[in-house]
Amino acid sequence: MAQAASKTCEICVSAPGSWYCLDCEQHYCENCKILHSRQRLSTNHEFKKASDFIPEVKSKCNDHNEAFSFVCVPCDVPVCVCCVTEKHNGHKLSQFKDIIVQLKTKIEEDISTKINKARENVSRLEQNRSAFNGQVETVIKSITEEGNKLKSMIDRCTAKRIASIQEKARYESKRLSAILSDHKIAVENANALNNRKTSIEEQSRIDGSLIKMLITLNKDIDKLEVCPLPEFQSATYTPKIVNENDISQLLGTFNLSKTKTETNIKKSEMRPSERKQLYYCSKCGKQKITYAEGPNSDEGLNGDEGPNSDEGTNGDEGPNSDAGSNGDKGPNISIVEGNVQAN
């Protein structure tokens, strides 16, 4: 069946599909092309560079020039009436109209499912976004309230610290005022004694009374006490070194989880390996890759849809049915199995 241009080999599904087989209508890499050309049934198959060739959908069989009437299910190619009795004898067939009805029904169901799923996702995303925004606002409000609480505590602590230093400063200021008053009195007394000295010096007579006045003045001077200066007060402040991290530790913590997309979830849940099978029809040369979920998976090996299923092995129309295995016209099907590491 004609397919759109592919950049990947349709046989090994790993290397670039740089070649296109006109007979098989499949893309091949260089290695698979060489192996395909060595097989007896496909020795004369014609290849073209995939980059220079755009495959078109064909309406007639190349071998018989007859219009396609059926689709060979195991080979996945359109066949004409003549192909049914030759290369595809014994294969399970489906009519075009049945395939079209099935495809249309499937497309209708799939698109309806996708639309409903997309709408449901949009609704849930909008609800989640609204709830998330509400949670963020709540967190912001809590942080703001806690910050204001810390600010209030700092303001109260600051006010207490200021009140404490003001109280101590008032006490020390009173003491300093008292000391200052004493020193002012000493200055006044000293000035009075100095005035007495001047008055005595102005007297011209020299007699016993002058000596007595000088002796009395000298005694009064000795009695005058000038106290030494006290150790002067000082007021200093040593700030505590605080950085943003110290402030941040005073606040609580918040947790904001990241949005997990389906791609990330699938990667984390992806199985370590999957089983790859190669379907090859020895009559028409058709090759097809099928996958199973694991080494012992029933799907593709023992299931209902795999190349070796009951439909093909024990059924009446499968590729390995009695019509093909015990008859003369049935095709021989070979399966090549291998393990592929999942990326």
Side-chain angles (χ1 to χ4, degrees):
M1 182 179 293
Q3 302 176 14
S6 173
K7 295 182 179 180
T8 305
C9 175
E10 298 179 53
I11 305 305
C12 65
V13 200
S14 58
S18 55
W19 292 94
Y20 186 81
C21 178
L22 300 180
D23 298 274
C24 298
E25 299 182 5
Q26 287 182 297
H27 286 83
Y28 289 78
C29 65
E30 188 66 34
N31 292 333
C32 292
K33 170 183 175 292
I34 295 174
L35 294 176
H36 188 64
S37 299
R38 289 177 179 175
Q39 295 173 359
R40 180 170 56 85
L41 293 177
S42 55
T43 302
N44 298 323
H45 283 197
E46 183 180 356
F47 282 88
K48 282 193 175 183
K49 277 284 186 180
S51 58
D52 302 332
F53 178 74
I54 301 177
E56 298 179 354
V57 177
K58 301 177 182 179
S59 59
K60 289 187 178 182
C61 176
N62 289 336
D63 297 334
H64 309 100
N65 199 27
E66 294 284 343
F68 291 129
S69 302
F70 304 95
V71 173
C72 178
V73 175
C75 295
D76 193 24
V77 293
V79 294
C80 67
V81 176
C82 296
C83 291
V84 174
T85 59
E86 295 179 2
K87 292 182 179 180
H88 299 274
N89 182 28
H91 288 195
K92 183 178 179 179
L93 304 174
S94 294
Q95 293 187 1
F96 269 21
K97 62 179 182 179
D98 294 335
I99 294 294
I100 292 174
V101 171
Q102 292 175 7
L103 288 175
K104 286 184 176 180
T105 302
K106 185 177 183 302
I107 290 173
E108 183 69 24
E109 293 175 352
D110 290 348
I111 194 66
S112 177
T113 301
K114 298 288 185 181
I115 291 174
N116 293 335
K117 182 63 176 178
R119 288 176 177 173
E120 180 183 354
N121 289 345
V122 168
S123 177
R124 293 185 61 183
L125 283 171
E126 290 177 345
Q127 294 176 2
N128 181 268
R129 183 179 62 178
S130 177
F132 175 73
N133 291 337
Q135 293 172 353
V136 171
E137 290 297 327
T138 301
V139 170
I140 293 175
K141 182 179 179 181
S142 299
I143 294 175
T144 303
E145 291 177 352
E146 189 172 0
N148 291 333
K149 186 186 298 182
L150 290 173
K151 290 178 183 178
S152 299
M153 294 173 63
I154 292 175
D155 291 341
R156 289 195 298 270
C157 183
T158 302
K160 288 181 179 179
R161 189 68 60 88
I162 292 174
S164 176
I165 191 173
Q166 287 176 340
E167 182 180 357
K168 292 181 179 180
R170 282 194 297 269
Y171 175 76
E172 293 299 328
S173 180
K174 287 180 180 180
R175 290 187 60 194
L176 184 60
S177 297
I179 295 172
L180 178 60
S181 178
D182 292 340
H183 281 268
K184 285 182 178 181
I185 293 174
V187 171
E188 291 176 357
N189 292 334
N191 288 332
L193 293 174
N194 186 52
N195 291 334
R196 285 172 59 188
K197 177 185 75 72
T198 303
S199 176
I200 292 173
E201 289 177 349
E202 291 177 352
Q203 294 183 12
S204 58
R205 61 181 183 175
I206 300 174
D207 54 12
S209 60
L210 178 60
I211 294 174
K212 186 177 180 179
M213 285 189 293
L214 290 175
I215 292 173
T216 302
L217 178 61
N218 188 47
K219 289 180 179 180
D220 291 338
I221 292 174
D222 290 338
K223 291 179 181 180
L224 179 62
E225 183 179 359
V226 179
C227 298
L229 290 175
E231 184 177 351
F232 292 111
Q233 307 98 320
S234 63
T236 60
Y237 177 71
T238 303
K240 183 178 180 180
I241 299 177
V242 180
N243 53 37
E244 291 186 5
N245 185 48
D246 297 329
I247 300 298
S248 178
Q249 290 181 357
L250 297 177
L251 296 170
T253 59
F254 70 89
N255 180 37
L256 196 152
S257 59
K258 295 182 179 180
T259 302
K260 292 184 179 180
T261 61
E262 187 175 355
T263 303
N264 295 334
I265 296 175
K266 284 185 176 180
K267 284 184 178 180
S268 62
E269 296 178 353
M270 185 175 291
R271 299 180 181 180
S273 64
E274 59 181 5
R275 192 172 181 82
K276 182 177 73 172
Q277 302 174 105
L278 173 62
Y279 168 86
Y280 173 70
C281 180
S282 60
K283 280 201 168 185
C284 68
K286 178 68 178 181
Q287 298 179 0
K288 182 170 65 175
I289 294 292
T290 59
Y291 290 92
E293 293 185 356
N296 297 324
S297 172
D298 293 337
E299 182 179 345
L301 292 178
N302 301 321
D304 296 335
E305 298 179 356
N308 290 339
S309 65
D310 292 339
E311 183 179 339
T313 304
N314 300 322
D316 296 334
E317 297 179 351
N320 287 339
S321 64
D322 294 338
S325 300
N326 301 326
D328 297 332
K329 296 182 180 181
N332 295 322
I333 305 299
S334 62
I335 303 297
V336 180
E337 301 172 351
N339 288 329
V340 178
Q341 293 298 322
N343 294 324

